[in-house]
């Protein structure tokens, strides 16, 4: 089993999702970024519009459409601070 990292997805008015995940993928102004446990610390500005994908153990993936904000990676995990975050609608 892959190492887990703690993830917090927070919008201006509420905590949207919190839990353990194997990987987080987000698009920043510098390009798409994948974060696994043990990733070097960083702070990135989210591209607009953007999507944050959270891969959980067992292969389940959550996706959120986000507007504005930042992605912070630290020794404690990943925090996404967004102006707004809503569950992404599946592609048809």
């Amino acid at each position: 089993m892959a190492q887990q990292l703690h993830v917090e997805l927070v919008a201006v008015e509420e905590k949207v999702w919190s839990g353990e995940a194997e990987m987080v993928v987000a698009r920043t102004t510098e390009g798409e970024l994948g974060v696994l446990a043990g990733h070097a610390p960083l702070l990135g500005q989210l591209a607009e519009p953007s999507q944050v994908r959270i891969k959980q153990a067992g292969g389940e993936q959550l996706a959120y459409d986000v507007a504005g904000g930042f992605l912070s990676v630290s020794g404690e995990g990943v925090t996404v601070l967004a102006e707004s975050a809503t569950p992404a609608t599946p592609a048809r």
Side-chain angles (χ1 to χ4, degrees):
M1 184 168 126
Q3 270 191 301
Q4 300 286 296
L5 64 148
H6 186 73
V7 179
E8 300 271 339
L9 176 58
V10 181
V12 172
E13 297 184 11
E14 66 179 331
K15 182 183 289 187
V16 178
W17 190 86
S18 178
E20 303 301 309
E22 289 183 355
M23 181 176 190
V24 175
V25 178
R27 191 165 55 90
T28 69
T29 55
E30 300 294 316
E32 191 165 78
L33 175 71
V35 179
L36 298 168
H39 194 286
L42 70 84
L43 179 63
Q45 182 178 358
L46 294 173
E48 289 194 57
S50 188
Q51 190 174 82
V52 173
R53 297 186 310 275
I54 302 167
K55 182 181 177 192
Q56 297 178 288
E60 183 181 351
Q61 185 167 291
L62 306 172
Y64 293 89
D65 293 323
V66 296
F70 296 89
L71 169 84
S72 172
V73 180
S74 69
E76 288 77 46
V78 177
T79 303
V80 178
L81 302 170
E83 291 178 25
S84 67
T86 57
T89 54
R92 294 183 183 246

